[in-house]
Amino acid sequence: MVDIPAPVRDILETLEAAGHHAWCVGGCVRDALLGRTPEDWDVTTAARPEETMALFGDRAVPTGLRHGTVTVKTAAGGVEVTTLRRDGVYRDHRRPESVTFTDSLEEDLRRRDFTVNALAVDLHGTLRDPLGGRADLAAGILRCVGDPDHRFDEDALRILRGARFAAQLGFAIHPDTAAAIHRNRELLGDIAPERIWAELKKLVARDWAAEVLRAYPDVIGVFWPEVLPMVGFDQRNRHHCYDVWEHTLHALAAVKPETELRLTMLLHDIGKPNCFTVDERGQGHFCGHPAESARLAAAMLRRLRADRATAETVVRLVSWHDRNIPRTRPGVARALGALGERDLRRLLEVKRADNLAQAPDYRFMREEIDRAEAILDQLLGEGACVSLEQLAMNGRDLLELGFTGPAVGRTLRALLGAVLDERLPNERSALLAAARNDTDIKERHP
């Protein structure tokens, strides 16, 4: 039984009372049948767009009239109401050039991507399932509606959507659909970077992301070819029991399913193949790989037009992922000052996951990382000074002492360093005295 929320029931009742058949359709029905809470609810109806607009008045927003979609505003958010339709010819591997409205629910369901998304339920709880979606739900199978090559040729973004649904639901992709994904992967080259980015973000943050990425690196490689050299790349190093790609996937699976953390793990060793050397004992080394990985990650995220906040966080964490943070108050304080609490905690998660993906004999860093986090908690609890903004004196104080120009900034940074190293207390009188008397700190222009 699908429990339809009251605001959505109201929309169905309004349409039915006006003589228009209406159903909840697609992913909301799928998730409800799986016992999951749908992220949003979609309605399909025999009503034409102009009829829907008239029925809901100022609550109706014409968000896609060309394709029959009206968004109805409710107290719980917008609900898309789309007229039953047949799609015309797809010319750009993304959207149909035209649509034709129909009164047939089955026709509408047959144009959809996967059988588990081609389910509809009406106000009375009657499930419509002409394509076997309920059986595929029960079997945990993701299968295209009809011919998978045709489905992906129509809309190539369905290739990534299929991977994302598999990562989200933990479903096996039907062999025919999986083979078509591999065959048609190059069609993703016709998809706008923004659309790929939107799907990729969702994919990596799902519970079964590592399993899906393991099966489809060739798909990811269409828009991120930098991934492909990692696959099967033997690290030839005693610290590692996996090749670079397998290490990456094990590390990705070991962090929380948050976008920034998962992307960091996906990209943290992307530069290793470019930095590989072998010493006289046959041991592999990757000197400089954090910086190279950060450089590549920045370019890859820019290529997909990733939002600035996510890109900056990921690149920062990638560049820091192999950096040693001394498990001392000064060491953690300096990292806290450089990264801030949020990103330092994320970095510690990254380090835990990276270590868990190494050879078993070298998975011993957890206690050290826990110690760093305990010091972090202590510093935060004390309100310790870790930044210039928290320093008990500022540039005006140095100007009054006779400092000028760049010497002001250099001296403030030197004083902060002394506080971080616990050579000075963060007290105004002590800092002023140090600035007056310590020639290692007091730097004046001649």
Side-chain angles (χ1 to χ4, degrees), residues 366-388:
R366 184 174 184 86
E367 289 185 5
E368 293 296 310
I369 295 168
D370 288 347
R371 187 187 308 170
E373 192 146 35
I375 294 171
L376 169 61
D377 291 336
Q378 184 180 43
L379 291 169
L380 291 170
E382 295 172 358
C385 173
V386 297
S387 67
L388 290 174

Side-chain angles (χ1 to χ4, degrees), residues 44 49 116 118 146 152 154 162 216 269 329 368 373 428 437:
T44 189
V116 297
F152 296 139
E154 284 179 333
Y216 298 99
D269 281 349
R329 285 174 59 91
E368 293 296 310
E373 192 146 35
R428 178 179 165 79
N437 303 317

Side-chain angles (χ1 to χ4, degrees), residues 113-128:
D113 50 9
F114 304 100
T115 60
V116 297
N117 294 333
L119 296 163
V121 65
D122 66 15
L123 189 60
H124 312 291
T126 303
L127 182 70
R128 298 289 293 274

Side-chain angles (χ1 to χ4, degrees), residues 26-60:
C28 59
V29 180
R30 176 200 70 219
D31 288 346
L33 290 172
L34 289 171
R36 297 166 173 257
T37 301
E39 294 180 4
D40 48 43
W41 289 82
D42 294 320
V43 169
T44 189
T45 179
R48 299 309 191 249
E50 62 274 11
E51 293 173 318
T52 302
M53 292 287 293
L55 276 173
F56 292 98
D58 59 5
R59 293 174 57 198

Side-chain angles (χ1 to χ4, degrees), residues 216-251:
Y216 298 99
D218 55 331
V219 172
I220 306 303
V222 172
F223 51 86
W224 274 356
E226 295 90 344
V227 163
L228 300 178
M230 291 198 293
V231 180
F233 196 106
D234 186 354
Q235 304 202 60
R236 298 175 63 177
N237 187 287
R238 65 182 184 277
H239 291 89
H240 289 283
C241 56
Y242 304 119
D243 64 45
V244 177
W245 182 236
E246 275 300 315
H247 165 77
T248 293
L249 297 179
H250 279 78

Side-chain angles (χ1 to χ4, degrees), residues 144-348:
C144 276
V145 171
D147 175 32
D149 288 311
H150 182 61
R151 286 281 87 86
F152 296 139
D153 186 68
E154 284 179 333
D155 181 358
L157 192 60
R158 288 170 174 161
I159 295 169
L160 267 188
R161 282 170 57 84
R164 191 248 296 179
F165 288 136
Q168 173 183 335
L169 302 171
F171 280 17
I173 298 180
H174 187 275
D176 291 345
T177 297
I181 286 176
H182 290 296
R183 275 196 304 271
N184 292 279
R185 65 187 184 276
E186 295 296 340
L187 296 177
L188 285 170
D190 293 331
I191 300 300
E194 296 89 345
R195 300 301 303 158
I196 290 176
W197 171 240
E199 288 296 333
L200 182 66
K201 283 195 301 181
K202 295 175 184 177
L203 191 165
V204 299
R206 303 301 183 181
D207 289 341
W208 289 273
E211 290 83 351
V212 171
L213 292 168
R214 180 175 288 111
Y216 298 99
D218 55 331
V219 172
I220 306 303
V222 172
F223 51 86
W224 274 356
E226 295 90 344
V227 163
L228 300 178
M230 291 198 293
V231 180
F233 196 106
D234 186 354
Q235 304 202 60
R236 298 175 63 177
N237 187 287
R238 65 182 184 277
H239 291 89
H240 289 283
C241 56
Y242 304 119
D243 64 45
V244 177
W245 182 236
E246 275 300 315
H247 165 77
T248 293
L249 297 179
H250 279 78
L252 182 146
V255 293
K256 291 179 288 190
E258 295 177 1
T259 300
E260 290 87 351
L261 285 174
R262 287 288 181 82
L263 284 168
T264 297
M265 301 324 300
L266 182 59
L267 301 175
H268 78 287
D269 281 349
I270 196 79
K272 272 191 169 181
N274 290 352
C275 300
F276 182 61
T277 59
V278 180
D279 65 22
E280 65 279 0
R281 296 170 299 166
Q283 282 285 299
H285 300 280
F286 302 93
C287 296
H289 84 270
E292 176 66 1
S293 295
R295 183 187 72 81
L296 291 175
M300 294 162 72
L301 292 164
R302 188 164 55 247
R303 189 183 313 143
L304 293 189
R305 299 175 189 169
D307 59 281
R308 182 174 176 179
T310 298
E312 287 181 349
T313 296
V314 171
V315 172
R316 184 182 306 116
L317 293 175
V318 168
S319 68
W320 274 72
H321 84 270
D322 204 38
R323 190 178 303 189
N324 180 48
I325 297 175
R327 270 72 71 190
T328 62
R329 285 174 59 91
V332 175
R334 286 184 177 277
L336 178 59
L339 295 173
E341 179 187 357
R342 185 195 68 164
D343 280 354
L344 179 52
R345 290 196 187 277
R346 286 174 167 174
L347 178 65
L348 295 178

